[in-house]
Amino acid sequence: MPWPVNMIRPATPEDLSALFELEETSFSHDRISRRNFRHILNGANATTFVASDRQGLCGYVTVLFRRGTGLGRIYSLAVARRCRGRGLGRKLLAAAEAACRERDCRALRLEVHPRNARARRLYRQAGYGVFGRYEKYYENGADAVRMEKPLPPRRPPRRASRRRS
Ligand SMILES: CC(C)(COP(=O)(O)OP(=O)(O)OC[C@H]1O[C@@H](n2cnc3c(N)ncnc32)[C@H](O)[C@@H]1OP(=O)(O)O)[C@@H](O)C(=O)NCCC(=O)NCCS
């Protein structure tokens, strides 16, 4: 029986090696380099969430923010093979969306390989719709499908109700 996955938490610089390892085993091309991960973990315009169990890192999601655009962008999302199919991908995606709402983003965007059926299904089920394509986006020359999910605005603070006299 698998160990329970711990709560999703923001990544710290101590997660660098485990993140790099997970990236290496999750993607066969277009991997994030160690240097790039270091930059992401120290940058103000990126947020990474991780989840782990007793064996180590189970998954991560990195979301980037570009100032003045009102948009967040999923830079990468991966779940370790041994942790897949248990809803973690969906939870990490939800964490990324919550981080976007915190920053008042109006939408979250991402790119996905047209043949990545698992990821496409995950995104579709989570409310992402296709809005375009990036030609020759990946290292191997494949196009990327662009998807977007509009995010509802944060609720304005409730006004104190006034009693009529
Ligand atoms: C895509 C990925 C993140 C999904 O993670 P996961 O934790 O297994 O996903 P979940 O368990 O949360 O499943 C959520 C949904 O994803 C889809 N999904 C997950 N595994 C699937 C599979 N084997 N076949 C088809 N759809 C699948 C389903 O829509 C699923 O919802 P459902 O269980 O209600 O049908 C994971 O497979 C992964 O890391 N893949 C390699 C890296 C990658 O491709 N990242 C995305 C880059 S854009």
Side-chain angles (χ1 to χ4, degrees), residues 85-111:
R86 290 195 267 148
L88 183 56
R90 196 179 297 129
K91 284 185 190 148
L92 287 164
L93 196 54
E97 290 168 10
C100 284
R101 272 193 222 108
E102 286 276 304
R103 295 196 180 211
D104 291 322
C105 291
R106 61 181 165 81
L108 183 52
R109 290 183 171 179
L110 58 88
E111 297 84 29

Side-chain angles (χ1 to χ4, degrees), residues 76-96:
S76 191
L77 166 70
V79 172
R81 278 176 213 285
R82 67 189 170 80
C83 302
R84 287 183 193 165
R86 290 195 267 148
L88 183 56
R90 196 179 297 129
K91 284 185 190 148
L92 287 164
L93 196 54

Side-chain angles (χ1 to χ4, degrees), residues 44-47 63-67 71-73 96 99-100 103 105:
N45 292 322
T47 297
V63 53
L64 304 182
F65 306 98
R66 199 183 288 170
R67 227 182 277 159
L71 294 169
R73 175 178 164 228
C100 284
R103 295 196 180 211
C105 291

Side-chain angles (χ1 to χ4, degrees), residues 5 13 15-16 23 25 36 41 43 50 54 62 64 82 95 97 101 104 118 120 128 130 136 145 160:
V5 174
D15 294 308
L16 177 65
E23 183 76 5
T25 52
N36 206 352
L41 290 176
V50 295
R54 288 179 64 169
T62 295
L64 304 182
R82 67 189 170 80
E97 290 168 10
R101 272 193 222 108
D104 291 322
R118 282 179 193 186
R120 288 189 70 172
Y128 291 76
V130 174
K136 300 193 174 99
V145 175

Side-chain angles (χ1 to χ4, degrees), residues 24-60:
E24 293 283 298
T25 52
S26 301
F27 296 98
S28 54
H29 56 84
D30 292 81
R31 292 174 178 143
I32 301 175
S33 67
R34 201 183 174 91
R35 189 167 170 230
N36 206 352
F37 263 126
R38 192 175 295 120
H39 184 70
I40 286 167
L41 290 176
N42 292 316
N45 292 322
T47 297
T48 298
F49 292 105
V50 295
S52 52
D53 66 5
R54 288 179 64 169
Q55 286 183 57
L57 201 67
C58 280
Y60 82 92

